[in-house]
Amino acid sequence: MLQRLPTSRFRSIPVFGALFCLVALLMLLAPDGARAQDGQDAEELRPLLSGLDNGRDFAATEAGIRAIAATGNPAAAPLLRALRNGDLEIRKSDNRVVLVVEEGRDDFAVDPLTGERLGELGRRDTNRISINNNIRNLIDEVVAGLTLRAEDPAIRRTAALEMLAAASGDNVEPLRAALAEEDDAGVRTTMQRALAASILQSDAPTEEKLEALETVAAVGDRQALQLLNRATADAELAERSAELIRGVERKLQMWEFAQNIWFGLSLGSVLLLAAIGLAITFGVMGVINMAHGEMVMLGAYTTFVVQEVIRQNFPELFGASLAIALPLAFCVAGLVGILIERTVIRFLYGRPLETLLATWGISLILQQTVRVIFGATNREVGNPDWMSGAFQLGGLSITYSRMAIVIFALIVFGLLVLLLQRTAFGLQIRAVTQNRKMASTMGIRTPWTDALTFGLGSGVAGIAGVALSQIDNVSPNLGQSYIIDSFLVVVFGGVGNLWGTFVGALSLGVLNKFLEPYAGAVLGKILVLVLIILFIQRRPRGLFPQKGRAAEG
């Protein structure tokens, strides 16, 4: 016997069905409705389009632009950008403002508000709307004001920064309106600074301008200094402006000093990377290896080859290209170093002049080999996305690539110290360096230790080449740029001491950067060389002298 369902449940089915259909219908129509609303909003600007075409009467055109911007309509910003780019023209047949779009060899008229295609255009079917530089600047200002209310905080902050850079009395009201709605603390601070800068350019009361001076001075950059200098022209603001200018100048000097320190540390990390391999081959083994720069060059070319293979076969792995290149560069340069040691260097131990000449000849052979294989021109080695760009730290501008090289240099140095101090191989290297005969008596195979040590120094130079390929041109002459500086670092720091190399590289980097503004890059290097010569006269074995094979003789 079937159970009879309640009558009310059957009655509710048509109701739910109707509601479901209604909801579905609304969902289907919602996008069209939104588009219709957008089109309706854009149509509000159509009566104002005529204000953009005033021939050579630029004042009237400026008034038309201000009228469009005053609506705050979202369609106003792209419309005005098109005008600035010269894409808006007047169609002669009906005097209609159209957006001219080029497709291949043909031009088409498009409605600038709705995007509707209006037909093909001939060469003489339209007249350009005349604008000048003042109008372009005005459009930049009003478009920045319109984007102050964008949904993306980054866009709003960029707009505020643009208005800070182009401070104008016209920006005061748009900034105040945007500030009233802004809830992002970072964007709000930028808007307040832009507002203060704009107030100084307006006819606001003196009390308000004095308050704005304090906000502008708190920014503390060169643009703020420029605004404060302008304010000194106002007799009522001159005294306070002069006081604030002195404070800003002191702050700028402090940040300039800090920036030079950072540039010096950055240069020092590059020198450290280039010299740390030489600190092993020259400092520990006592071999004057003039081909050390070519080991760096081989590492850079290994990076180039890796990136070319990735570009052609696995483009999605480009972000990891440097991580892939590092072990390969170490192996390539290290194996070449072992080959050089086994075939040339081992016959010349204790004969420094012959070693110098032989390694110089090897450097020429390596350069020419690379030139034959890859050509004499510079090769492009790209930066992964995560190494592109820069960020601000107070008054410092720090690029991601330089910061990555500083961190990378510290990591390489730390690993090398651990290798030499905490591993059996490091113990063998130190034993052979300090007393070769005793080490041989204790069972250490000194010839193989020499070869592996030379390979280690060359391999470290190879991974230095990976890092240097990100900030320098990759060419057969890359190594020549660093060989002299590398020897200076090792000699200054103390032959055979890695910590001496570390301190020497950073010291010379900072000293170079502080000399360059006064003496220039070339004369600065000469002064550094003279200072090192004078220093060696007093301390022939460098900052941190250590016993080594050279000292045994």
Side-chain angles (χ1 to χ4, degrees), residues 4 7 20 67 76 80 85 107 127 130 151 170 185 231 237 273 276 293 316 319 334 336 360 377 473 483 495 523 550:
R4 189 173 181 181
T7 309
F20 175 79
L80 294 176
N85 296 334
D107 290 338
N127 288 327
S130 300
E151 292 184 4
D170 294 334
L237 305 177
L273 275 175
I276 197 168
E316 67 278 4
V336 172
W360 182 59
T377 56
N473 295 324
I483 185 66
V495 176
L523 186 56

Side-chain angles (χ1 to χ4, degrees), residues 268-506:
S269 65
V270 172
L271 293 177
L272 177 63
L273 275 175
I276 197 168
L278 191 68
I280 296 173
T281 56
F282 176 56
V284 176
M285 299 180 65
V287 174
I288 303 176
N289 180 18
M290 294 301 290
H292 177 78
E294 278 56 51
M295 302 298 119
V296 176
M297 180 261 292
L298 288 178
Y301 271 96
T302 304
T303 311
F304 165 71
V305 172
V306 168
Q307 288 199 348
E308 283 301 300
V309 171
I310 288 177
R311 279 194 183 103
Q312 295 175 10
N313 302 289
F314 313 100
E316 67 278 4
L317 294 178
F318 190 80
S321 60
L322 297 185
I324 298 171
L326 277 175
L328 293 175
F330 180 85
C331 292
V332 169
L335 290 174
V336 172
I338 290 174
L339 181 65
I340 293 173
E341 199 279 339
R342 288 288 83 191
T343 55
V344 179
I345 302 293
R346 74 188 181 104
F347 301 108
L348 301 174
Y349 283 130
R351 297 156 62 186
L353 181 59
E354 288 87 341
T355 306
L356 186 150
L357 292 174
T359 53
W360 182 59
I362 291 171
S363 75
L364 296 179
I365 293 171
L366 290 174
Q367 285 180 45
Q368 193 58 34
T369 303
V370 169
R371 199 171 280 115
V372 169
I373 296 173
F374 296 99
T377 56
N378 295 341
R379 291 294 173 174
E380 179 188 358
V381 175
N383 291 74
D385 291 340
W386 55 273
M387 284 185 71
S388 302
F391 66 94
Q392 291 291 130
L393 180 63
L396 297 179
S397 177
I398 299 176
T399 59
Y400 290 112
S401 59
R402 288 281 180 175
M403 188 177 68
I405 288 177
V406 171
I407 295 173
F408 180 67
L410 294 176
I411 292 174
V412 171
F413 177 78
L415 291 176
L416 204 54
V417 170
L418 285 176
L419 175 72
L420 292 177
Q421 300 293 332
R422 301 291 181 186
T423 66
F425 178 53
L427 183 62
Q428 291 177 8
I429 292 177
R430 286 184 287 132
V432 173
T433 302
Q434 291 171 10
N435 194 319
R436 170 178 289 272
K437 292 181 180 177
M438 181 63 73
S440 180
T441 305
M442 297 296 292
I444 297 175
R445 300 176 64 183
T446 55
W448 279 109
T449 303
D450 289 336
L452 293 177
T453 305
F454 201 88
L456 174 65
S458 301
V460 172
I463 61 176
V466 177
L468 296 180
S469 69
Q470 299 298 298
I471 58 172
D472 209 338
N473 295 324
V474 176
S475 72
N477 300 323
L478 172 66
Q480 296 298 306
S481 308
Y482 295 99
I483 185 66
I484 302 300
D485 288 334
S486 300
F487 273 107
L488 285 178
V489 166
V490 174
V491 171
F492 176 65
V495 176
N497 192 312
L498 287 183
W499 284 102
T501 304
F502 179 82
V503 175
L506 297 186

